Amino acid sequence: MPHNKKYLLSTRPLDEPIMLKAAQYGISIQTIPFIKTEPTIDIDLREQILAASNRSLNVVFTSMNAVEAVAGCLPGVTDQWKIYCLGTATKKLVQLHFKDSLIAGTASNASLLADNIIDNQVESVVFFCGDQRRDELPEKLIKHNIQVDELAVYKTTAIPALVNKDYDGILFFSPSAAESFFSVNVVPDHTILFAIGTTTADCIRQFSTNTIVESDFPGKENLVEKAISYLDKSNKPNDPIKK
C-alpha cells in the first residue's frame, strides 16, 4: 500500500475506470475543466463536409473533437479518404467513425505527423481542426509546398477557475487548458505538472518552472498511467513499480 495518499487535479473529465485504478494506488483524482469545446458546423460547412466525403482526399485530424464533429455531419461511412491522424485516442476514434477509410499515417505529435505527410509526397490535405489549432503542422506542410485547406469544425472556450487546494500533480491535456489554468493560478514548487505531449509541455514552460512529466503516448489514459507510475514511485522509492 502507498505510504501517503496523493492528490491529482485533472483539467478535463476522465473515465471512471482510470480513476478507480488511480485510487488503488492511493491517488485521488479531482476534476475541474478549464476549457470547453463545441462543434461550430453551420449549413455551409456541413455541405462542404458532405461534398468532401465523396471525394478522394488526404484528410488530417489532430484532435478527437475534430473527428467527432466531422463524423456527426456524415449520414454514412466514407471510403474515399486517406487519413493522417495522431495516434492512440484520436486514431481509435478515426477507426470507429471512418473504418472504411485508409489510415495512411499516424504520429505522436503534429510536427511528426507533418513529416509523415511530407515523406509520402502528398500534394494537398484537408485539415479538420479547431479555431485555436496550433501552427506546427500547417506551417511545416506549406513550407514543403503542400496545399492545406483548413476547415475549423469546433471551437474552444477558456473557463478559468481559481484552485485553492494544494495538489501533488496536475494533468494537462492541451495547451488551451494550460493557458486557461495559468491565467488565474500559480502552483507550489513541489507540484508535478503532467503533459499529454510536447506541445502542451512547451506551453506549460511559459508559465512555470516546475517539474514537467510528459506522457509516452498521446492519450488521456496514457497520461494518467504516467502520473500513477510517477507518483507510485515517489510513494515507494525503494520498490520497483508494479506492472
Side-chain angles (χ1 to χ4, degrees):
M1 292 295 292
H3 297 157
N4 300 297
K5 190 167 186 177
K6 301 285 187 177
Y7 293 91
L8 274 178
L9 171 64
S10 176
T11 57
R12 67 167 292 173
L14 297 173
D15 296 330
E16 186 176 0
I18 193 66
M19 297 183 71
L20 292 175
K21 180 173 182 178
Q24 294 174 357
Y25 286 82
I27 300 170
S28 174
I29 302 179
Q30 299 177 353
T31 300
I32 301 176
F34 281 84
I35 58 172
K36 66 176 180 178
T37 60
E38 55 187 327
T40 54
I41 298 176
D42 57 18
I43 294 175
D44 290 340
L45 184 52
R46 184 180 298 273
E47 289 182 352
Q48 290 184 61
I49 294 171
L50 286 171
S53 69
N54 295 313
R55 296 169 54 201
S56 178
L57 297 171
N58 296 295
V59 170
V60 181
F61 292 107
T62 57
S63 78
M64 297 169 62
N65 294 310
V67 175
E68 291 175 334
V70 173
C73 289
L74 301 178
V77 297
T78 176
D79 59 1
Q80 298 294 308
W81 291 349
K82 292 182 180 179
I83 297 177
Y84 294 85
C85 63
L86 296 189
T88 315
T90 302
K91 180 182 177 181
K92 287 180 181 178
L93 268 187
V94 168
Q95 291 172 322
L96 174 65
H97 292 297
F98 305 105
K99 58 185 178 182
D100 292 332
S101 291
L102 171 68
I103 295 182
T106 63
S108 59
N109 61 57
S111 181
L112 292 177
L113 187 61
D115 291 338
N116 192 320
I117 295 169
I118 293 165
D119 290 343
N120 284 349
Q121 299 182 334
V122 171
E123 294 182 356
S124 64
V125 301
V126 176
F127 181 23
F128 291 113
C129 58
D131 65 330
Q132 297 184 31
R133 65 105 176 104
R134 310 298 290 186
D135 295 331
E136 293 89 345
L137 183 140
E139 286 187 352
K140 183 174 282 191
L141 294 183
I142 291 170
K143 284 181 181 178
H144 285 79
N145 298 314
I146 297 173
Q147 180 181 335
V148 181
D149 296 320
E150 294 187 27
L151 292 179
V153 294
Y154 71 95
K155 69 176 181 179
T156 301
T157 304
I159 44 175
L162 190 62
V163 175
N164 296 315
K165 185 168 182 175
D166 187 355
Y167 291 95
D168 297 286
I170 303 175
L171 304 169
F172 291 100
F173 299 90
S174 70
S176 298
E179 290 170 354
S180 177
F181 174 89
F182 285 107
S183 70
V184 293
N185 292 290
V186 177
V187 294
D189 292 341
H190 68 84
T191 302
I192 308 300
L193 307 177
F194 296 94
I196 198 167
T198 302
T199 305
T200 300
D202 289 343
C203 181
I204 294 171
R205 290 189 183 96
Q206 299 176 29
F207 303 101
S208 176
T209 58
N210 285 35
T211 298
I212 299 172
V213 177
E214 291 185 37
S215 176
D216 298 319
F217 301 98
K220 61 181 182 180
E221 289 84 3
N222 299 105
L223 181 59
V224 178
E225 291 272 4
K226 187 75 172 184
I228 291 173
S229 176
Y230 189 96
L231 294 179
D232 184 58
K233 184 177 180 180
S234 69
N235 265 332
K236 300 180 292 184
N238 297 319
D239 297 332
I241 299 175
K242 294 181 180 179
K243 299 293 184 181

